[in-house]
Amino acid sequence: MSIWASWQVTRRADAARWVLILAFVVLGGGFFRAQVLQSEAYRLTSNNNRLRTIPLPAPRGEIVDRNGLLIAENYPGFSVRLLASREDSLRAVIARLDSLIPGIQVDADAVVTRWAAVRHEPALVFGSSDFGVVATLEEHRGVLPGLVVQAEPRRRYPLGAAVGHLVGYVSEVSQAELDNVAKFPGARMGDIVGKLGLEAEYDSIMRGRNGMRYVEVTARGHTVREQGLARAVRPIIGRTITTTIDLPLQQFVDSMWQADLAGKRGALLAMRPNGEILAYYSAPSFDPNDWVGGISVAKFRELNEDPDKPLINRVIYGRYPPASPFKLATAAMGLKRGLITANSRMAVPCTGGFQFGNRRFRCWKRDGGHGSLDLTGAVATSCDVYFYQLGLMLGEQAIFDEGTAYGFGQRSGIDLDANMEQRSIFPSELKHYVNSRGVNWWSRGEILNLSIGQGSNAQTLVNMTTFYAALAGDGVKRAPYLVRPRPGAPEFPMGLKPDELQVLRDAMAAVVNVGTAGRSGGREIRMAGKTGTGQVTNQEDIAWFIGFAPVEAPEIVVGILVEEGLHGSWVAPQVARTIRRWILGPDTAAVRAPIDLPITEELIPRDSLRLLEAGDTTIPRPAGTGTR
Amino acid sequence: MGRDLDRPLFLVTLALAIFGIVVLYSAGQTDAPSNATGVWTRQLVWLGVGLVAAATSYRISFRLLEWIAPWAYGLGLGLLLLTVVGFGSGGEGSAASTSSWLTIGGVRLGQPVELAKIATILMLARWFTARREPPTSLRGLIPPVTIAAVPALLVLAQPDLGSAIVFAGILFATLFWAGVAPSLLLLLASPVISLFLAWSTALWSAWMVVLFILLLLWRPFILEAIGIYVVNSVMGVAAMLVWEKMAPHQRGRILSFLNPEEYRTGSAYQAIQSKVAIGSGGWFGTGFTQGTQKRSGYIPEHWTDFVFAVVGEEFGFVGVMLALGLFIALLFILVRIAQRAADPYASIVVFGVAGLIFTHVFENVGMTISLMPITGIPLPFFSYGGSFLLLMALSLGLAFRAANEARSAGYVEN
């Protein structure tokens, strides 16, 4: 029994003890490594395991008008999101959620796409829900694991469609937009960004920065509890942008359009000569509130398929023959080149037409013509024959050079939807008339067309109105703006002396003031402007009127454009009312007083009655109202 | 025969039992619904049953045990065989495809493997005490190896790799304690070493060189030396074939043990979550019942196989050291009792019990921090489960008796 001898047993027992000690040192070392040396890393993993971040959307900055009135604001709404660890469990919860709320269809695929982009964050289901839906969901929280309902600010535009094209709209950022990093820097899946209008242009300022909070979830994705708010990162509210818009004026323009021009397509732009935009309106409009929380498919289809195309912003998108308002550009070119003065008369008096080569170019006044006119008379009567001859005196090269220098072949540079604004069309050289097949279709007859605003000349409303703002101001055509001038936007100095500008302003004043000045005796607003009726082949005419007031020291320039079926003289009252509303303030009686502008152009053949009744073009101003 | 209980063994056992119940109570405190809720009360009931079982085994003489050992062994094998031939069902744990539970008529009666473990210890002790000298050749080891291998192969067929490893632990503990030369034990283990090194040809080749040198040094019988070398070669080559035959969950466990990050979602999920829970515990832990990994249901089987992760998360490194300290104290006491036992049979039985407990503790605790591969074997005193608790109670009852007999025999003085 030697193996059971005491010393043998003791030896084996000691060996066993050493094996035990060694084994437990190995185990203890493993725990020391994990629990002491690497504890921080494991704690972090543990937190990542069970804490889910939920973005706290930053309220967008507000949009206010020049006096601080709200154009776009925020109010509390509810968003519904889902946390999930796997796609099939997410789909199961969506299906259950769908059955709980009748009448609302959840786009499961869209939710899954959002979830797949950022799996550890809750995926958006409804951007905005009313309280009833939220209450129903909360009631069934038990069968909806991962449900996250939170109050989040929603956009609201109190004036709705009246500011549609101005503010644009907001909606959820798309994957394509995220891929293009420069477009919405810092945006993440599920964020709401501005897609059009001011919301898009100043998105980076208004968007703010989302905060986040944490919820604790179990391994199966049920939320357990909120972490203390102390650990949440508060959202940074976006900055408010102050626009140059005068909201009451904007509202006035909208209601005026609805009353006087209901159903007409067109646009109106009111600005100060320095470029500040006071009212920005395109008709028909859309209600930007429809996009908040996601626009319905039906609504979007309705807007998209409307033959009047309400989504087209006619202030900046849509080029029209500028017609008679362009005659002021021709006149400016003549003055600048020293070819004419205010008193210059043309060689051939107007007899209702002008023989050029073997073709007779008609004046709009065919029966008898205007006779011999000076510049003021020519502008006042909009005599085509005068401008035909002035154009020929200038020659094509001078027209190309000056027109280009005035910015007629450019964008206005407005700080809105730069990618949407159409570039106006104006020839800068003869090559313009060589088409793609190399055929030169230039003829000198085109000079006559160009000089009365027809031919290869198409302008946006914003570009034309800006040109008039330059005429009303210091003769430099600057980019108009709603918040601030776009950095690097080009300026177009016309190079006219102040007295030459005055000649043009006086001529435009004559358009609306012929023989009527001073009738009211008291203080008055002298208005200047120019009508136009653009002719588009196979379409009805385009009506223009661009005016400003007061003539002595212009404060406001208003351009209006109405597609189809109207004449410049028909839309002039809307400009006059807008000007009165701006200068006189909200005195409805004065603003709403009948307007009877003795517009001299184009009325005669189609509406001679109005010319005969030509009366008051000065607007009586009630005592005590100062000039703004 | 005196009635005094071995005081250190009693105190350490009591401390472990209390610690285990406290941790099981905490395991039931979760935010995510789990089966752990209320298991601590059921475990208390099992502790009561275990107390009766321990008191019973305490009263059984080792002579009687020696006599009934073959019958107990036969019963254990028979029940194991039943689970393999269709009366087995999965437990509540992760390896639900196994059939470790003896189930008749849909009623789960218990896990026969626990009976087989104690029966194997008794049987091995009987075989060794019947001989005057320990075997000195591999051929002489065939009978004891067979005694342990039959139940081990049966549980492998369930399949339950963890319990098979426990039989290996019991075998080596008893062989060592019965005086088999350590060099012989190494040669016996060499085929398994070859199997595990087979995944790397370089390591395996190095091992074969070492083995060759060892064979020259130790000079066993020449035929046995050749046999050993051939078996090692075959094991290295056969490893891949064995791999092919493994059950998917076993394969996954081994893969995830070798490379947890790559198998993050499958078996390794358990390993990583367990380690995260333990690591986040730090020095002092998150506090009693406050473990966040546990509360949120990230620790799999946190009331059975991975209960030690709860200890690590809630009581930190200090709590882990306390638990491991109690275990090493228990094992030292058992070694001491085996050392001083009044007769070789009792001595080998107690040392076999120590080997059993050690294998369970090292494998279970080691797997919670990825030191060992994941196998579903319970941690003594901590894991919830009646069968294993009964085995522990019976085994420790025997240890108490052995300690008591040693004192009565006046063997204590040296």
Side-chain angles (χ1 to χ4, degrees), chain A residues 205-282:
Chain A
I205 294 174
M206 289 189 285
R207 180 144 39 90
R209 191 176 315 148
N210 288 352
M212 54 182 69
R213 69 192 171 108
Y214 300 94
V215 292
E216 205 172 324
V217 296
T218 66
R220 300 234 170 111
H222 289 260
T223 55
V224 179
R225 65 177 80 80
E226 292 267 336
Q227 286 281 304
L229 199 65
R231 292 194 52 191
V233 179
R234 291 180 181 282
I236 297 171
I237 300 172
R239 275 158 51 204
T240 294
I241 59 165
T242 304
T243 62
T244 58
I245 291 289
D246 186 74
L247 198 56
L249 186 69
Q250 176 83 20
Q251 207 170 354
F252 173 82
V253 169
D254 176 59
S255 52
M256 176 180 76
W257 197 290
Q258 303 304 330
D260 300 354
L261 297 166
K264 293 290 182 193
R265 303 187 304 270
L268 186 148
L269 182 68
M271 61 192 286
R272 287 161 65 96
N274 66 2
E276 292 175 14
I277 293 171
L278 300 169
Y280 185 105
Y281 189 77
S282 174

Side-chain angles (χ1 to χ4, degrees), chain A residues 113-424:
Chain A
T113 307
R114 288 186 202 113
W115 169 81
V118 196
R119 281 166 190 256
H120 56 272
E121 285 186 7
L124 187 72
V125 182
F126 300 124
S128 62
S129 295
D130 58 50
F131 190 76
V133 169
V134 169
T136 308
L137 295 181
E138 287 288 357
E139 208 175 300
H140 296 90
R141 182 175 275 281
V143 295
L144 297 170
L147 176 71
V148 176
V149 174
Q150 72 179 11
E152 62 182 55
R154 288 183 61 192
R155 207 57 160 161
R156 180 159 60 193
Y157 309 94
L159 290 188
V163 295
H165 287 285
L166 171 65
V167 296
Y169 61 85
V170 293
S171 70
E172 193 186 334
V173 68
S174 73
Q175 188 58 51
E177 286 160 342
L178 287 176
D179 292 341
N180 178 6
V181 179
K183 187 148 191 191
F184 294 110
R188 287 151 47 88
M189 200 70 184
D191 281 2
I192 300 296
V193 296
K195 293 285 181 82
L196 195 70
L198 284 172
E199 294 281 19
E201 184 72 31
Y202 292 100
D203 180 76
S204 59
I205 294 174
M206 289 189 285
R207 180 144 39 90
R209 191 176 315 148
N210 288 352
M212 54 182 69
R213 69 192 171 108
Y214 300 94
V215 292
E216 205 172 324
V217 296
T218 66
R220 300 234 170 111
H222 289 260
T223 55
V224 179
R225 65 177 80 80
E226 292 267 336
Q227 286 281 304
L229 199 65
R231 292 194 52 191
V233 179
R234 291 180 181 282
I236 297 171
I237 300 172
R239 275 158 51 204
T240 294
I241 59 165
T242 304
T243 62
T244 58
I245 291 289
D246 186 74
L247 198 56
L249 186 69
Q250 176 83 20
Q251 207 170 354
F252 173 82
V253 169
D254 176 59
S255 52
M256 176 180 76
W257 197 290
Q258 303 304 330
D260 300 354
L261 297 166
K264 293 290 182 193
R265 303 187 304 270
L268 186 148
L269 182 68
M271 61 192 286
R272 287 161 65 96
N274 66 2
E276 292 175 14
I277 293 171
L278 300 169
Y280 185 105
Y281 189 77
S282 174
S285 186
F286 57 85
D287 187 347
N289 291 306
D290 288 341
W291 267 270
V292 176
I295 189 166
S296 71
V297 175
K299 185 72 196 173
F300 189 73
R301 186 181 299 143
E302 180 193 322
L303 287 170
N304 226 12
E305 291 174 359
D306 187 329
D308 283 343
K309 303 240 176 284
L311 293 177
I312 286 186
N313 182 341
R314 292 177 167 82
V315 178
I316 58 171
Y317 190 91
R319 293 176 292 214
Y320 306 89
S324 296
F326 193 81
K327 287 170 182 166
L328 269 296
T330 312
M333 295 174 193
L335 286 169
K336 186 184 171 192
R337 294 270 166 145
L339 298 174
I340 52 168
T341 64
N343 303 319
S344 300
R345 288 165 193 270
M346 290 295 135
V348 181
C350 174
T351 56
F354 179 71
Q355 192 68 33
F356 182 70
N358 57 2
R359 195 178 147 195
R360 182 175 171 81
F361 286 76
R362 288 188 308 210
C363 183
W364 65 269
K365 190 179 180 187
R366 294 171 222 177
D367 47 346
H370 295 99
S372 181
L373 295 164
D374 61 7
L375 179 59
T376 309
V379 170
T381 59
S382 199
C383 176
D384 292 336
V385 171
Y386 182 96
F387 288 97
Y388 292 152
Q389 294 175 76
L390 179 53
L392 289 171
M393 289 167 73
L394 282 161
E396 70 269 17
Q397 198 55 49
I399 293 175
F400 296 164
D401 293 348
E402 292 296 331
T404 303
Y406 298 172
F408 282 116
Q410 301 292 325
R411 294 183 178 87
S412 71
I414 185 174
D415 58 339
L416 194 77
D417 296 326
N419 55 337
M420 302 260 301
E421 184 182 358
Q422 282 192 318
R423 184 188 176 121
S424 296

Side-chain angles (χ1 to χ4, degrees), chain B residues 83-84 98-99 151-161 164 250:
Chain B
T83 65
V84 176
T98 68
S99 52
L153 289 173
L154 284 174
V155 294
L156 262 182
Q158 283 182 345
D160 180 358
L161 181 66
Q250 290 176 329

